[in-house]
Amino acid sequence: MNTRFTTKARRGMVAVTVVAGLALSTVGCSGDEGGDGKAPKASASASEDAGSDPSVQEGSDDSLAEVKGEDGLMLKLTSATRDDGGFVTVSGELKNDGSDPARVSVRTAGDETEIIRHGSSLGGATLVDSAKKKRYYVLRDTDGRPLTTTNMPRIKPGASIPVFMQFPAPPEDTTKVTFQLPTFASATISITR
């Protein structure tokens, strides 16, 4: 439980640092020309936690990809953002397009014992850089917990939940990768800054 707090605190500190840096740069160069104090939406994705601020994705019909899974589940990927900390955060929403309540399969956690022992997650997700022949796995904290949405509830028909996954960042010149998640179709997505 202590490590979970540490992980959340670490993500929170990254977000606070990014937002504070953006606020200082806005104040420092805005003068009398505006400066509404709003941080770009991309900074919020780095700190998004399981079920924490679904408004980050609201109002956006843009998506990188939509992939179908089992039991009527649909994963809509809305962003893949490269952060200064050396990681990529992939965000989106998981929707139940079926007519019955659905749970995310335990297989989405992957088959690594270290991740499975921490319960349901999207820890089996990977990003594949075909050009450089490299695969990037979901990051983990010091106790082996995946840095993804975890403990997802049963999803009612027509309902959706926000999700995120964090990966080590591929080299700067890699802008397209293949997103893979067990039980879902694969999709090519673009990484943005």
Side-chain angles (χ1 to χ4, degrees), residues 23-83:
L24 288 175
S25 65
T26 302
V27 170
C29 63
S30 67
D32 293 315
E33 299 175 11
D36 60 2
K38 293 182 181 174
K41 288 184 180 180
S43 65
S45 66
S47 65
E48 188 175 318
D49 195 3
S52 67
D53 192 11
S55 64
V56 172
Q57 284 109 21
E58 287 178 7
S60 173
D61 289 334
D62 296 334
S63 68
L64 300 176
E66 289 187 12
V67 291
K68 290 185 179 184
E70 296 178 335
D71 300 326
L73 292 175
M74 176 74 73
L75 177 59
K76 180 179 179 180
L77 301 173
T78 55
S79 68
T81 307
R82 184 185 301 274
D83 296 299

Side-chain angles (χ1 to χ4, degrees), residues 89-156:
T89 301
V90 176
S91 300
E93 79 176 16
L94 191 57
K95 182 176 182 182
N96 181 356
D97 274 345
S99 56
D100 295 318
R103 277 203 185 276
V104 177
S105 171
V106 295
R107 292 181 289 161
T108 61
D111 58 4
E112 293 182 46
T113 307
E114 185 71 20
I115 291 179
I116 293 172
R117 72 184 189 137
H118 293 292
S120 67
S121 73
L122 303 177
T126 60
L127 298 179
V128 178
D129 179 352
S130 297
K132 293 185 176 64
K133 297 182 169 94
K134 292 198 175 191
R135 180 180 304 268
Y136 299 90
Y137 294 88
V138 168
L139 291 168
R140 303 176 201 172
D141 68 14
T142 55
D143 284 338
R145 287 183 181 90
L147 299 183
T148 73
T149 304
T150 57
N151 300 319
M152 291 158 283
R154 182 178 300 270
I155 304 171
K156 295 177 183 177

